Amino acid sequence: MKTFYFRILLLLFCIIGIGHFGYAQSTNNKQTIVDKSGKYKDSITTHIWNPLLIADSLLFDGIQQYTFPESSITYTPPKTFRLDEQGNIVHDWTGSSIQSKILNTNYSKLIPTITKETFEKQGFSYINQLQITTDQKNEGTLFLIKFTSNNIEYERIVFFVGNQHQTLWLNINYPVMMKSLLYEVFEKSLLTIKL
C-alpha cells in the first residue's frame, strides 16, 4: 500500500514539476508532450506508461544487485528504477535513464584521453569532473555534462570505473528540473559498483 501512495505522490510531483507542459496521448501509442500552443513535441517516453501498471516485481528495490551483461561487474540500481527492453535501467516517472557499456580497455590509460574538449566537440556543455572511490575501493571518474533535448535541459553523468582489463562506462541522464531529487541518489548508487 505504501508503494501505491509513493507512486501517486511521485507522479503528482512530476506533473507539477513540469510546469507549463501537459501530457497528451497521440494516435501512434507514444507518450508525447503538448506545449501551450497545442503543438506536439517529440516523444519523451517510448511507451505509454502508467505507474499503477508497473508491477513491483519489475522495479529494483535499492538492495538487489544487477550484473552488467558480458561481465562480472555488479551494481545496485536506485530504488524504483527498472530494466527496459533495450537493457537500459530507466525511471519512468522522472524520464531518467542509465545506459552501460563494458569496454575491453585499461581504465588508467582511458581516463587521460577524455577531456572537456571531448564533450564540447560533441555539442555538450562541460560542467565538471570528479574522482569517486567506490565502496570496494575502486577509483572512478565522473564527468558532468549538460544538453538540451526537446527544449528540456538535461544533465548527464558520464562515469568510468575499471581495472587493467575492463572499464565500465555509464551514461546517466536526468532532467535538470529533477536534479535535487536524483543527483545524490545516482552518486550513492555509483558507490555500489563491484568489479
Side-chain angles (χ1 to χ4, degrees):
M1 194 61 140
K2 277 197 230 177
T3 303
F4 171 77
Y5 288 118
F6 173 76
R7 288 180 178 174
I8 296 298
L9 286 172
L10 189 54
L11 178 63
L12 288 173
F13 178 80
C14 292
I15 291 169
I16 292 167
I18 290 171
H20 64 280
F21 291 104
Y23 287 99
Q25 183 177 330
S26 69
T27 56
N28 64 0
N29 289 335
K30 289 189 175 182
Q31 190 79 9
T32 56
I33 291 180
V34 178
D35 64 18
K36 283 183 178 179
S37 68
K39 294 182 181 175
Y40 287 97
K41 301 288 184 185
D42 290 339
S43 173
I44 59 165
T45 58
T46 56
H47 301 284
I48 296 171
W49 64 273
N50 177 330
L52 303 178
L53 298 179
I54 299 172
D56 287 346
S57 60
L58 296 178
L59 303 176
F60 288 106
D61 60 8
I63 300 168
Q64 175 186 357
Q65 289 193 337
Y66 169 73
T67 302
F68 292 100
E70 301 175 24
S71 77
S72 59
I73 302 173
T74 63
Y75 168 66
T76 305
K79 191 172 183 178
T80 71
F81 279 67
R82 68 175 176 85
L83 197 62
D84 74 5
E85 299 84 12
Q86 289 79 39
N88 300 313
I89 298 170
V90 298
H91 194 252
D92 297 286
W93 310 307
T94 60
S96 303
S97 64
I98 304 169
Q99 292 90 33
S100 63
K101 186 170 180 80
I102 303 293
L103 306 174
N104 293 319
T105 189
N106 183 313
Y107 166 81
S108 299
K109 291 181 179 176
L110 173 68
I111 294 304
T113 67
I114 303 169
T115 64
K116 175 181 178 179
E117 291 73 27
T118 304
F119 300 108
E120 290 176 344
K121 285 179 189 174
Q122 297 174 36
F124 296 102
S125 299
Y126 175 89
I127 300 173
N128 65 4
Q129 175 181 342
L130 302 167
Q131 296 302 120
I132 292 180
T133 303
T134 68
D135 293 339
Q136 200 184 37
K137 306 297 182 215
N138 291 305
E139 179 187 295
T141 304
L142 181 153
F143 298 92
L144 188 60
I145 59 177
K146 192 178 207 177
F147 64 98
T148 301
S149 178
N150 299 325
N151 296 318
I152 298 173
E153 282 190 332
Y154 287 87
E155 284 185 352
R156 176 177 292 169
I157 295 170
V158 181
F159 185 71
F160 297 94
V161 63
N163 54 34
Q164 297 168 334
H165 310 290
Q166 282 189 324
T167 300
L168 172 64
W169 171 11
L170 293 180
N171 282 335
I172 303 174
N173 301 295
Y174 56 89
V176 172
M177 69 177 93
M178 297 290 176
K179 183 173 184 171
S180 62
L181 293 174
L182 295 172
Y183 186 83
E184 188 177 345
V185 170
F186 287 133
E187 204 170 40
K188 285 181 180 178
S189 71
L190 292 175
L191 300 179
T192 68
I193 295 171
K194 293 179 184 174
L195 302 177

